[in-house]
Amino acid sequence: MSSKSFISSLVLTLLMLTNAAAQGLPPVQESKEEQQKAQQELERKALALLDTTLESAQTLKLVENHALVQTIAADLLWTRDEKRARNLFRDAMMAVAEALNNASAKATRYDASYWMIVQLRQQTLQTIARRDPQFALELLHATRAVSPENAPFNSRGQDQELALEQSIASQVALNDPKRALQMAQESLARGISYALLGILQRLQQKDAEAATRLAVDIIKKLQTENPARNREAGYVGQALLRMVVEPPQGRAVLASSPAQAPEKSKALKLDDQAMHDLADVVVTMALSATAADLGYTMNLQPLFPELEKRVPERMDQLRRKIAEINKAMEPEAKEWMRTERLMRAGTPEEMLEAASTATPETRNGLYTMAAMKFAEAGNHERARQILNDNVSGPERDQLLVQIDRQLMAQAVEQGKVEEAKQLASRMRSKEARATELAYLAMTVFAKGDRKNALQLMSEAQNLVNRQPDNQEQLNALIQITLAYTLIEPPRAFDIIEPVIDQANEMLAAAALLDKFGAGRMPGGPGEGFFKKGEMLMHPGFLSIDQIAAQYGKGLTALARADFDHTKSLADRFQRNEARIMARLLIAQSILSDRPDASDNTNRIFYGRGILLGN
């Protein structure tokens, strides 16, 4: 791992830990009136901190950084001072638009700096749309990017604007289905994007009649598209047909934020004429397909019964076309298709049989999926045997860890802490064992056993280097510190503060290297850790919004206990950019009015991406 990657991970970790350090503070017994007064005082301090942060942001050189701070501040101020929030949103969008137009004149297809600004504009519009979709739409139209005619990516510019417009309409559908339908119909006249499907799904939950009208309009638009020029339209048509044909079980409407629980999808209903027209469009798109459109034709086959019902006169032609594509396919592509079907719908026994004769490129995937299927069914020993006998390297190790994690969770649930510790001891490195012990300590603590949790944490901490030298050590430190924030917060502070000093030293070194060009990634200016001598605060390095969404609530309790101490953690960062980010996290955790979908503790310690469905 590069030093640049390690530094970014280290700073991200410290900001994250600063924001999570209150998880274990015991609740204070206060009357309702006292709690309200304490909350009002906390918000007063947070708003003052936000004001000083906005003042500090004036010194930032990068438009991307300044606009990001303005956007986050505007979102926090919306319910308290809407007029000021609107002005901040507008200023951010205008600045980003100017930067985008300046960058586009010299941008290339792979210019990371240009695409970072594009992404910032999109995310800013999404933030505004959550508050006022109509305002977001106005700013979208007022800040359209001007791309040079000969830019290699210019042909996609209009598509991106269209997708943004239709994505904003999807936000409107949550509260105003009729207005969302109107917006979707207006944008539909300019083209089709995948974002239309999001509008359609949300309309279906709020106003089934409006959803049907939009679906019919989409079909009419699809009938006018040239399939050879607009492949996206083909995939939209196919997805629309699936929305009608496939039962809603297992499908859910995508939430607009991680904090929102997904809504149960309802079936979309179309009359016979609309279904005939949609099926006809889907087949027309397929008949223009080439070998490069393998995914389109492969995904079409489960829809054959519906197509046979709606357009039987075209099925012979469609089958000949698919046979033609299949015949022209390379053997590797045919093998991939067969493997994909097995992995999607096959039994573990069928996967094992196919793996014995599969090519090396697909064999590991079949063995891995078969093992996962056995583990999901509770046959962990069979899963381990398959992985040990047929898979090697980091992939096998990672999957074995996932199986052991599932077994550890089951052991703790049954009160078998020693058995869970034995499973943790099977991890190959000290850092991995420390990580698992921290997870285990959190689980034990959640069940009310603080004594055993502290013992497990002591064992975990003895395995970890307090000054991390690599990513694995850093990951272990993250988990131990997060666990201590819940079990014994003062110990977490003991870990955080000296590591901030280490981060400051590494950031200073990285800035020096960047000054001489050694800290930049290949591909041109603006693609590294710094830009114009300033640390990048936007995606590609750190995302404040993502950190706050994952770890936001913990800091509220810490700030309530000692706001000044909490702020002092942010102030330990020597670079202005890092201090601003940490202060924003403090303000965001206190002032944000976004609901959380689940307890923050669970998101930290159980959202580990477990593959086996624990």
Side-chain angles (χ1 to χ4, degrees), residues 71-351:
T71 300
I72 294 173
D75 193 45
L76 297 177
L77 289 169
W78 186 268
T79 59
R80 297 168 174 87
D81 188 344
E82 185 177 321
K83 181 179 179 180
R84 185 185 181 193
R86 285 180 180 274
N87 289 333
L88 285 169
F89 273 139
R90 189 181 299 277
D91 290 346
M93 280 298 300
M94 293 304 174
V96 169
E98 183 179 355
L100 191 58
N101 286 330
N102 291 337
S104 67
K106 54 186 177 181
T108 64
R109 181 187 296 269
Y110 304 108
D111 192 326
S113 180
Y114 173 83
W115 291 111
M116 187 177 290
I117 302 174
V118 170
Q119 186 181 3
L120 175 60
R121 177 171 178 266
Q122 293 172 351
Q123 292 185 346
T124 302
L125 282 167
Q126 291 292 344
T127 300
I128 299 170
R130 284 195 292 266
R131 297 300 187 180
D132 185 342
Q134 185 60 47
F135 184 42
L137 195 62
E138 291 170 8
L139 291 176
L140 169 67
H141 293 159
T143 61
R144 289 192 186 279
V146 178
S147 298
E149 289 297 325
N150 296 325
F153 48 83
N154 191 49
S155 62
R156 299 295 299 169
Q158 185 176 0
D159 294 347
Q160 291 169 358
E161 294 296 293
L162 181 65
L164 271 171
E165 189 173 295
Q166 293 174 350
S167 177
I168 290 170
S170 178
Q171 295 284 347
V172 177
L174 291 171
N175 300 309
D176 191 347
K178 287 183 172 54
R179 174 62 179 142
L181 174 61
Q182 180 186 352
M183 292 172 65
Q185 289 171 326
E186 290 171 357
S187 69
L188 189 58
R190 292 186 287 277
I192 286 179
S193 81
Y194 288 112
L196 281 169
L197 299 175
I199 305 173
L200 195 61
Q201 282 186 314
R202 284 190 170 144
L203 281 179
Q204 185 60 25
Q205 311 313 305
K206 305 293 182 180
D207 187 338
E209 182 180 347
T212 299
R213 288 171 60 190
L214 178 58
V216 170
D217 288 342
I218 293 172
I219 294 168
K220 290 178 180 177
K221 181 65 175 178
L222 287 170
Q223 289 176 309
T224 69
E225 294 293 318
N226 184 333
R229 294 182 180 178
N230 191 351
R231 303 310 302 169
E232 184 173 357
Y235 284 97
V236 169
Q238 191 180 109
L240 179 55
L241 184 59
R242 287 182 184 278
M243 288 177 67
V244 182
V245 172
E246 291 184 348
Q249 289 80 5
R251 289 194 287 112
V253 179
L254 294 177
S256 61
S257 73
Q260 287 181 295
E263 301 177 47
K264 192 68 175 178
S265 178
K266 300 175 184 177
L268 180 67
K269 295 182 180 180
L270 297 175
D271 62 26
D272 288 342
Q273 182 60 52
M275 286 298 294
H276 173 274
D277 293 344
L278 178 56
D280 189 66
V281 163
V282 168
V283 172
T284 298
M285 296 286 181
L287 293 177
S288 71
T290 66
D293 300 309
L294 176 61
Y296 184 88
T297 55
M298 182 181 69
N299 291 330
L300 194 62
Q301 296 191 39
L303 297 172
F304 265 37
E306 187 67 22
L307 295 175
E308 187 81 57
K309 174 183 175 182
R310 302 295 178 179
V311 284
E313 70 281 1
R314 306 196 69 183
M315 293 307 292
D316 286 343
Q317 189 181 7
L318 177 60
R319 289 190 177 92
R320 286 195 299 271
K321 179 65 178 181
I322 291 178
E324 174 188 322
I325 292 176
N326 289 344
K327 186 177 180 181
M329 275 195 303
E330 298 292 331
E332 293 82 3
K334 291 181 180 179
E335 175 74 9
W336 178 81
M337 283 184 64
R338 182 174 74 98
T339 302
E340 196 279 335
R341 282 195 296 268
L342 266 177
M343 294 178 74
R344 177 162 37 89
T347 66
E349 289 80 7
E350 290 171 336
M351 293 175 192

